[in-house]
Each structure stands twice: as C-alpha cells, then as structure tokens.
Amino acid sequence: MAYSWFKAFHIVGFVVWFAGLFYLVRLFIYHVEANLEPEPARTILKNQYQIMEKRLYDIITTPGLFVTVAMAIGILSTNMELLKEPWLHYKLGFVAVLIGYHIYCAKLMKQLAADECKWTGQSLRALNEAPTLLLVVIVMLATFKNNLPTDLTAWLIFGLVIFMAVSIQLYAKIRRRNQEKLTGQLKEESGVKAF
C-alpha cells in the first residue's frame, strides 16, 4: 500500500516539476525579449517577469522537485531490490542531469535579474526543449525498464531533436516576417500622416 502512495505522489511531483521547468524558461524568453521594447514598457515587463520567475521557481518548480525526490526515496524504501536494476541507474543519471538543469535555471534567473544574461530568445527556445527530451527518456526507462528498445528510442530522440530544431527555426522565420510586415505597416501609416 505504501508503494502505491509513494508512486502516486511521485507522479504528481514530477508533473508539477516539469510544468514549472517548461514555463520557467518560457518566462526567461519573454524576459530577454523585453529588452527589445521601448521604455517604459521594457522596465515594466522585465520587473513583472522577474517576479513571475521567482514565484514559479520558489513556489511550484522547486517544491515539485522535492516531492519527486522524496517520493522516489519512499518508493525505494519499499523495495530496495530496485537499486540493483540497470534501468534505474540510467534513470537516476538522467534525473541528475535534470536537477542540474533546474539549478542552472536558478543561475539564469539571477543573471536576468542583474541584466547579465547573454542568452538570446532563440537560444533559450532551444534550451527550453532539454526537459522535453529528458522527460521522454525518463518515462520510457520507467515504463520499459530493462526491456527498453534502445534502437527505437535513439531514433525517437533523434527525430524529436530534428523536429524541435526545425520548429524553432520556422518559428523564428515567421516572427521575423511578421515583424517586417508590422514595421512596413507602421512606416506606411507614418508616411500617410506626414501628408
């Protein structure tokens, strides 16, 4: 019975944790892109994003991490034999990478608050895909365990990376085109008003 409770809240914890990580870096993107706005909008937006990032990290994302890890420890306490399973070693390795990503997000948050972040919106969009890849691998390991079809999984991850890269580039192209169209319309309107 304890195993089921631990497992249920482990799932709840990682859903909350991943939701926070997905949205956090999205806020970083908006924060960086606020630099393109004129004043006073730039300052207002950056201050608002800083508040949102801190609250999301402290109130949702980090507690999600702690619940996930605490419940995983609970699961292992009910069945110590799991520690002998190779799939679990791989899963724990990927979780360690994810925890590193979580900690790196805190560093980025501090850099953004101090106006020292060197990341662009485009590069942050790519960074935002890292937890997706980790999620896929971690869930597949937990589901298939030692029977994970590694060839198929490798192709799946490769396909996801290609899809994400193409999507990011396509999105950037659409944004540039829309920005150029808007700039052209503004020039036209200002030219009409000049007459």
Side-chain angles (χ1 to χ4, degrees):
M1 188 67 152
Y3 173 84
S4 296
W5 283 103
F6 289 136
K7 186 174 182 179
F9 281 98
H10 179 66
I11 293 168
V12 169
F14 82 70
V15 168
V16 169
W17 185 22
F18 272 95
L21 288 175
F22 290 145
Y23 190 47
L24 185 63
V25 179
R26 175 59 51 188
L27 288 174
F28 293 168
I29 294 165
Y30 298 147
H31 193 144
V32 165
E33 291 178 350
N35 285 321
L36 304 174
E37 298 296 325
E39 286 296 350
R42 177 185 312 143
T43 301
I44 293 167
L45 287 170
K46 288 172 74 170
N47 288 340
Q48 185 60 41
Y49 290 135
Q50 191 173 336
I51 292 166
M52 293 169 69
E53 291 158 4
K54 183 154 180 39
R55 288 181 182 166
L56 178 63
Y57 191 85
D58 293 344
I59 299 171
I60 295 172
T61 312
T62 300
L65 161 64
F66 286 129
V67 169
T68 302
V69 171
M71 295 303 107
I73 292 168
I75 289 169
L76 292 173
S77 73
T78 65
N79 185 0
M80 296 300 284
E81 289 297 309
L82 284 173
L83 288 171
K84 296 178 183 174
E85 297 290 333
W87 69 270
L88 184 61
H89 300 165
Y90 292 115
K91 180 184 173 192
L92 293 175
F94 286 113
V95 170
V97 171
L98 190 62
I99 291 170
Y101 179 89
H102 181 104
I103 293 166
Y104 186 69
C105 284
K107 180 180 177 182
L108 280 177
M109 203 166 50
K110 288 176 186 170
Q111 289 176 356
L112 285 162
D115 258 345
E116 297 171 352
C117 183
K118 304 294 184 217
W119 288 75
T120 64
Q122 183 85 351
S123 58
L124 284 168
R125 281 183 176 82
L127 179 68
N128 198 31
E129 301 305 331
T132 303
L133 297 173
L134 290 167
L135 175 64
V136 169
V137 172
I138 290 167
V139 168
M140 291 185 75
L141 281 164
T143 303
F144 288 101
K145 300 187 179 358
N146 291 325
N147 297 318
L148 179 68
T150 52
D151 290 349
L152 184 59
T153 303
W155 281 109
L156 174 67
I157 298 300
F158 178 75
L160 278 172
V161 169
I162 297 298
F163 174 76
M164 290 171 180
V166 168
S167 297
I168 291 168
Q169 292 302 318
L170 183 61
Y171 180 71
K173 185 176 181 178
I174 291 169
R175 281 183 50 141
R176 272 193 307 273
R177 188 173 59 219
N178 289 343
Q179 188 63 40
E180 288 167 2
K181 187 188 294 185
L182 180 63
T183 303
Q185 288 172 346
L186 291 174
K187 284 182 182 178
E188 271 183 34
E189 288 174 12
S190 64
V192 170
K193 288 178 185 177
F195 286 105

